[in-house]
Amino acid sequence: MSAGTDKIAVTVTNVVPVNELVTRFRFARTDGGLMPTFSGGAHTVVEMKDGATMRLNPYSLMSDPADRTAYTISVRRDDQGRGGSLFMHRNVKPGLEMVISNPVNLFPLDLRAKKHLMIAGGIGITPFIAQIKQLAASNGNFELHYSVRTASLASYADELSTAHPTRVHIYHDDKKQVIDLENLLDGQPLGTHLYVCGPKGMIKWVRGTAEGLGWPREAVHDEEFLAPPSGKPFEVKLAVSNKVIQVGEHQSLLEAIEAAGVDAPYLCRGGACGQCETDVIGYDGKFLHNDHWLTEEQHASGKKIMPCVSRFEGKTLVLDR
Amino acid sequence: MPKTAFEPSIKSRPIYGTLEPRPGKSHLMIADAEGAEAILDLAKSTPKGMFDHTHIIYIPKKTGETFTGRLRELNPAQCYVGPSYEAALPRLRRVLNDAHMGLQVYLSGSEGLMGQAMLEATNAGIPHSAIQTEHRGSTARRMQCVHCKGITEDVTTDPFQCAHCGLHLFVRDHYSRRIAAFQGVRVDAEEPGNVPEPVERFK
Ligand code: FES
């Protein structure tokens, strides 16, 4: 029922450490066929079977959208996280069979744009790599401004700069290099679209600056994948399927629903797309909302929850699922 | 003159708002006839210095000198007053061509003017939802004959006669953004020659 998320059985064909924190994985179809086409900015959801736990994490596709032989993703190790990225780094080896979803694009290029201005922070570079391959093939006009911590952690900066020396600009935090955003936005020709992918603070900064300079909302696009935060375990009653489930410390509510064999919709698993929106039938306790889909009023209403990233603390929670 | 209230209509019919100042480093205001009043009203609430970065393109039509003096008194960076939209078009295209993101576009006056200027601005890459419009003055329509494709400006009666092929056309609410005109369809297609008396529907 997870709209647009048909599954693909794949085999890991390549695992390449990119730097101290980032590793790249390549997936080809286990049956030897071609992958579905995608457009730059799309992500896939990778299923990780870690013993008894099942995690599903979204990762942006970074391979050439025109190449249907395989998909590649890059995963940044998060030692504080719930373990998805650690699992990828430690347990995923060439030859392993895995399941990934069909690609879904929640961060597409607006191809009506006369110019694409891209701003990336850290691992937020990955969707842009696919978009740049797509644009380069069609002679598209783009410019990338990529902010990294240090040269040694600058994933793919060298490749990008070598391939597109005049279009790619790298900024190193440790050398105190900062994107001169105001000037950069100020001089852009009419018809430019702005894209930002990176940490929350960066997205806020770019959106806020663009708004202050009079950029139309429709010309500014962002993507931030929220990893579902860990938290105290809690119990949930699923009214429609008549089940009581436990949500573990490092499990998301959505994962717990799925683990109970209940089909629930999703697309991004990162609190952004709205697909997993679920009605609350009753509760006694407090919601820990982490999405950026619901409005503040909806958060306060106690009537809705986004189970991909949000949690609950308290006595009872009953969902319409 | 108060803003025009239009009757509820089909989806393709454009809707207009009230101009309000928006943040931006430069501003382009395009108006015809009574549309000048929308700019003058807007000027009551603009932040200080906004007109230092404003370019006004104004086509007075029948209003002649009524508003030109007051527009000039706003001291915009540039103020062009021209005899027709066609005469102003090369200037408009040059301004859009040289403009940067953040330019705010304000359109006011007749539907024909706003529609055509909207088309130029969206072709230049501004999303149409980011362009402000305010209807003032004449409700006359810019019509395209669906048969010969000719455009008849300032249509006030329904039906009307196409200025190009001479057919009698019925005024529809169906609006094409691509050509910035409403559609006129032959009124006597079923029974040639049976043309109802034209009624003045637009002023
Ligand atoms: S799956 Fe996208 S918001 Fe939850």
Coordinates of all heavy atoms in Angstrom, one line a residue, chain A residues 18 168 228 239 311:
Chain A
V18 N 34.7 6.2 0.8 CA 35.0 7.5 0.2 C 35.9 8.3 1.0 O 36.9 8.9 0.5 CB 33.7 8.3 -0.1 CG1 33.9 9.6 -0.8 CG2 32.8 7.4 -1.0
V168 N 31.5 24.6 -10.3 CA 31.5 24.1 -8.9 C 32.4 24.9 -8.0 O 33.5 25.2 -8.3 CB 32.0 22.6 -8.9 CG1 32.2 22.1 -7.5 CG2 31.0 21.8 -9.7
P228 N 14.8 9.2 11.9 CA 13.9 9.1 13.0 C 14.7 9.1 14.3 O 15.6 8.3 14.4 CB 13.2 7.8 12.8 CG 13.7 7.2 11.5 CD 14.8 8.0 11.0
A239 N -6.2 0.6 16.1 CA -7.6 0.4 16.2 C -8.2 -0.5 15.0 O -8.9 -1.4 15.2 CB -8.4 1.7 16.3
R311 N 7.3 10.5 17.8 CA 7.1 9.6 18.9 C 6.1 10.0 19.9 O 5.5 11.1 19.7 CB 8.5 9.3 19.6 CG 9.6 8.9 18.7 CD 10.9 8.7 19.5 NE 10.7 7.4 20.3 CZ 11.1 6.2 19.8 NH1 11.5 6.1 18.6 NH2 10.9 5.2 20.6

